[in-house]
Amino acid sequence: MLLAINVQNSAIALGCFDNAGGLRMVARIAAEPEHTADQYACEIDSVLRLRGYAASEIYGAVLCSVVPSLSMVLYDAVRILCGCEAVNVASGVKTGLSIQIDNPRALGSDLVCVAVEAAAQGRLPALVIDMNTAVTFTALDKRGVLVGSIIAPGVHIGLDALHEKAAQLPSISLSRSNCRLLGKNTVDAMASGVLNGAASMIDGMIARCREQLGDDLTVYLTGTDASLAADYLHEQVCRMDDMVLYGLHRIWIKNRKK
């Protein structure tokens, strides 16, 4: 199996691909800045065993990280657990992607991964919306060139800010769905503001990007918080869960040692 690792600020997504490129397993563990490589190796091993797999089945690994301090830690954890050197999506790694921004090396590796997958899908121009700690919009033109991105606060950042900055607003969960637009109490009003507000922002950004990229724009929605906003969107989007992991798989193929 190929082990793909997507390191985000709050969680680390683990994906296992079989020889045919099928995503056989997806799991998530907490991103803990204090953990050592040995601790992460133990956690990954436990998750694999829980899902019925063994570390000995892993023949390769690839990772991307938006947390620089964890990149080498996870790299070492893979070496400890699997005995292989992971491909780290960073400068010098082959992606096959043309990037036309001010400083391509500063582009987040997760944005590179979703762009690689969107380009491979062939439905261009394309816009990938990835909802995690931040909500990112990655734009590809008709040639498949990454021409720019947008970064906005994620839904949980907005929710935390309401609770922290407003004395009378409580901490609430967004696990509930189908919240009404006009809340009848404080909790419902907060949920509506965050979820409908995020959806309205996304709808508006899609419309503005369509003006620049073309009316035939294909929009992908992915990320751990995608399910929270999907039901409130007016724009048509293609849900593609774990798009970063699929992009990582494609990048590994381009960089694997023969």
Side-chain angles (χ1 to χ4, degrees):
M1 297 187 302
L2 170 69
L3 176 63
I5 304 174
N6 174 22
V7 183
Q8 295 290 322
N9 288 284
S10 58
I12 299 171
L14 308 172
C16 287
F17 290 85
D18 59 25
N19 290 333
L23 184 56
R24 312 304 297 179
M25 182 208 84
V26 177
R28 287 176 174 81
I29 59 177
E32 300 288 353
E34 300 84 7
H35 277 194
T36 65
D38 291 307
Q39 288 175 303
Y40 274 117
C42 291
E43 286 194 49
I44 296 172
D45 184 48
S46 296
V47 169
L48 291 174
R49 291 178 182 276
L50 183 65
R51 299 299 180 90
Y53 299 101
S56 59
E57 299 179 64
I58 297 173
Y59 52 72
V62 57
L63 71 89
C64 71
S65 173
V66 299
V67 187
S69 62
L70 286 180
S71 299
M72 187 54 66
V73 175
L74 268 298
Y75 182 90
D76 289 341
V78 169
R79 182 175 47 80
I80 292 169
L81 180 63
C82 312
C84 61
E85 303 292 324
V87 173
N88 187 8
V89 180
S91 179
V93 170
K94 300 175 184 178
T95 65
L97 186 68
S98 177
I99 303 174
Q100 293 184 358
I101 63 173
D102 292 342
N103 184 6
R105 294 190 177 190
L107 184 68
S109 57
D110 55 338
L111 303 190
V112 172
C113 292
V114 295
V116 166
E117 181 60 30
Q121 292 294 318
R123 300 172 62 183
L124 299 167
L127 180 69
V128 183
I129 304 167
D130 193 359
M131 299 186 66
N132 292 292
T133 304
V135 180
T136 60
F137 302 75
T138 306
L140 287 79
D141 66 13
K142 293 182 178 180
R143 302 166 296 166
V145 176
L146 196 161
V147 292
S149 61
I150 301 165
I151 302 175
V155 292
H156 288 287
I157 288 179
L159 196 62
D160 291 343
L162 283 175
H163 172 57
E164 292 172 5
K165 301 299 182 181
Q168 291 187 309
L169 296 183
S171 175
I172 69 170
S173 171
L174 290 179
S175 59
R176 298 185 304 171
S177 60
N178 300 320
C179 72
R180 68 187 90 192
L181 177 63
L182 301 177
K184 299 296 186 181
N185 55 67
T186 300
V187 172
D188 287 348
M190 291 175 66
S192 177
V194 171
L195 295 177
N196 284 295
S200 297
M201 182 271 290
I202 292 171
D203 282 334
M205 287 295 190
I206 292 172
R208 294 186 180 206
C209 288
R210 186 179 291 113
E211 292 176 0
Q212 290 199 29
L213 298 170
D215 291 335
D216 53 344
L217 181 67
T218 299
V219 181
Y220 297 95
L221 180 65
T222 190
T224 54
D225 290 337
S227 60
L228 294 175
D231 292 340
Y232 302 95
L233 295 175
H234 290 166
E235 290 278 356
Q236 184 176 0
V237 299
C238 301
R239 278 289 301 277
M240 188 172 184
D241 294 334
D242 304 302
M243 200 167 181
V244 171
L245 296 180
Y246 284 101
L248 281 169
H249 178 259
R250 294 186 187 277
I251 291 172
W252 181 82
I253 291 175
K254 290 181 179 296
N255 290 271
R256 62 182 172 183
K257 295 180 180 179
K258 302 297 184 182

